[in-house]
Amino acid sequence: MRTTLVPPPVVTLLSAWAMWGVAGLPTWARLALVPSAWGWQHMVAVVLWLLALVLMATALWTMRGLRTTPNPVMPERASALVQHSVFAYSRNPIYVADVVVLVAWASWLHSAAALLVLPFFVVYISVMQIRAEEQALAAAFGDLYAQYCARVRRWL
């Protein structure tokens, strides 16, 4: 079973590009409270990017430790159901990290309007990517996966 033809990292980049376009909206739609080159928005962005990096690295390291694939395009190749570490809090910590990256990007752009892209990203990933991954994991791990889904939320 293949998931979407557009891999999640590409969807994240396309969303960031769309946010950049939205950030060009009129001044009233922008969140530019500090005119300096390194205002608080940039500091928030850097902190959020670091948080996303730690979250993503922890998820990948955990998957690597169980020798299962992190490849989102071929979820049926999963050889283990990861339930500990960051996966004890979210079934999709890498997608949560992607959302944090996009929030950081909106902050870097000084644009509250850019956040309008986030719901589209979340819906697209949920419908086109996560559903296929969940079907593959349910087929591979059966009741164990159902119990995991009952314990841990999809996003947060």
Short mmCIF file of all heavy atoms in Angstrom, two decimals, residues 15 20-21 31 35 58 62-63 84 91 96 102 133-134 140 152:
data_model
loop_
_atom_site.label_atom_id
_atom_site.label_comp_id
_atom_site.label_asym_id
_atom_site.label_seq_id
_atom_site.Cartn_x
_atom_site.Cartn_y
_atom_site.Cartn_z
N SER A 15 3.91 23.76 1.92
CA SER A 15 3.16 24.56 2.90
C SER A 15 3.96 25.79 3.32
O SER A 15 3.41 26.89 3.44
CB SER A 15 2.79 23.72 4.12
OG SER A 15 1.96 22.65 3.75
N TRP A 20 4.86 31.64 2.90
CA TRP A 20 5.66 32.78 2.46
C TRP A 20 4.83 33.66 1.54
O TRP A 20 4.87 34.88 1.64
CB TRP A 20 6.91 32.25 1.75
CG TRP A 20 7.84 33.31 1.25
CD1 TRP A 20 8.47 34.28 1.98
CD2 TRP A 20 8.24 33.50 -0.10
NE1 TRP A 20 9.24 35.06 1.15
CE2 TRP A 20 9.12 34.59 -0.13
CE3 TRP A 20 7.94 32.85 -1.29
CZ2 TRP A 20 9.70 35.05 -1.30
CZ3 TRP A 20 8.53 33.31 -2.45
CH2 TRP A 20 9.40 34.40 -2.45
N GLY A 21 4.04 33.04 0.66
CA GLY A 21 3.17 33.81 -0.21
C GLY A 21 2.09 34.55 0.56
O GLY A 21 1.82 35.73 0.29
N LEU A 31 2.00 40.12 11.51
CA LEU A 31 2.32 40.21 12.92
C LEU A 31 3.76 40.73 13.01
O LEU A 31 4.69 39.99 13.22
CB LEU A 31 2.20 38.84 13.59
CG LEU A 31 2.51 38.74 15.07
CD1 LEU A 31 1.50 39.55 15.87
CD2 LEU A 31 2.50 37.30 15.51
N PRO A 35 10.19 46.01 14.83
CA PRO A 35 10.78 46.27 13.52
C PRO A 35 12.25 45.90 13.40
O PRO A 35 12.78 45.90 12.31
CB PRO A 35 10.58 47.78 13.35
CG PRO A 35 10.52 48.31 14.74
CD PRO A 35 9.89 47.22 15.57
N THR A 58 14.45 12.60 17.98
CA THR A 58 14.09 11.59 18.97
C THR A 58 13.20 10.51 18.35
O THR A 58 13.41 9.32 18.58
CB THR A 58 13.37 12.25 20.17
OG1 THR A 58 14.24 13.22 20.75
CG2 THR A 58 13.00 11.22 21.22
N THR A 62 14.39 6.68 17.91
CA THR A 62 13.59 5.62 18.52
C THR A 62 13.21 4.56 17.49
O THR A 62 13.30 3.36 17.75
CB THR A 62 12.33 6.22 19.17
OG1 THR A 62 12.72 7.21 20.12
CG2 THR A 62 11.51 5.15 19.88
N MET A 63 12.82 4.99 16.31
CA MET A 63 12.48 4.05 15.24
C MET A 63 13.71 3.25 14.81
O MET A 63 13.64 2.04 14.59
CB MET A 63 11.88 4.80 14.05
CG MET A 63 10.53 5.43 14.36
SD MET A 63 9.95 6.48 13.03
CE MET A 63 9.10 5.27 12.04
N HIS A 84 6.97 3.68 22.66
CA HIS A 84 7.62 4.38 23.78
C HIS A 84 8.26 5.68 23.29
O HIS A 84 8.08 6.06 22.14
CB HIS A 84 8.65 3.46 24.45
CG HIS A 84 9.80 3.08 23.56
ND1 HIS A 84 9.66 2.19 22.52
CD2 HIS A 84 11.08 3.49 23.55
CE1 HIS A 84 10.82 2.05 21.91
NE2 HIS A 84 11.70 2.83 22.51
N ARG A 91 1.01 9.52 18.18
CA ARG A 91 1.26 8.46 17.21
C ARG A 91 2.03 9.00 16.00
O ARG A 91 2.56 8.23 15.21
CB ARG A 91 -0.07 7.83 16.75
CG ARG A 91 -0.79 7.14 17.89
CD ARG A 91 -1.92 6.23 17.44
NE ARG A 91 -2.81 6.70 16.41
CZ ARG A 91 -4.04 7.14 16.63
NH1 ARG A 91 -4.52 7.20 17.85
NH2 ARG A 91 -4.80 7.52 15.61
N VAL A 96 3.87 16.17 14.01
CA VAL A 96 3.75 17.24 15.01
C VAL A 96 4.95 18.17 14.88
O VAL A 96 4.81 19.40 14.90
CB VAL A 96 3.65 16.67 16.44
CG1 VAL A 96 3.75 17.77 17.48
CG2 VAL A 96 2.35 15.87 16.62
N LEU A 102 6.40 24.70 10.85
CA LEU A 102 5.59 25.68 10.11
C LEU A 102 5.17 26.86 11.00
O LEU A 102 5.14 28.00 10.52
CB LEU A 102 4.38 24.99 9.48
CG LEU A 102 4.72 23.99 8.36
CD1 LEU A 102 3.46 23.25 7.91
CD2 LEU A 102 5.40 24.68 7.19
N GLU A 133 -1.14 5.24 6.55
CA GLU A 133 -0.21 4.67 7.52
C GLU A 133 -0.96 3.86 8.57
O GLU A 133 -0.53 2.75 8.95
CB GLU A 133 0.59 5.78 8.21
CG GLU A 133 1.60 6.44 7.30
CD GLU A 133 2.36 7.56 7.99
OE1 GLU A 133 2.32 7.66 9.24
OE2 GLU A 133 3.03 8.33 7.28
N GLU A 134 -2.08 4.39 9.05
CA GLU A 134 -2.88 3.67 10.06
C GLU A 134 -3.41 2.36 9.52
O GLU A 134 -3.43 1.35 10.23
CB GLU A 134 -4.01 4.57 10.57
CG GLU A 134 -3.52 5.70 11.43
CD GLU A 134 -4.61 6.66 11.86
OE1 GLU A 134 -5.68 6.69 11.20
OE2 GLU A 134 -4.39 7.39 12.84
N ALA A 140 -0.69 -4.80 9.85
CA ALA A 140 0.53 -5.46 10.30
C ALA A 140 0.49 -5.87 11.77
O ALA A 140 1.02 -6.92 12.14
CB ALA A 140 1.73 -4.56 10.06
N VAL A 152 -3.08 6.36 22.81
CA VAL A 152 -2.28 7.50 22.37
C VAL A 152 -3.02 8.23 21.25
O VAL A 152 -3.50 7.62 20.31
CB VAL A 152 -0.89 7.04 21.88
CG1 VAL A 152 -0.06 8.21 21.40
CG2 VAL A 152 -0.16 6.29 23.00
#
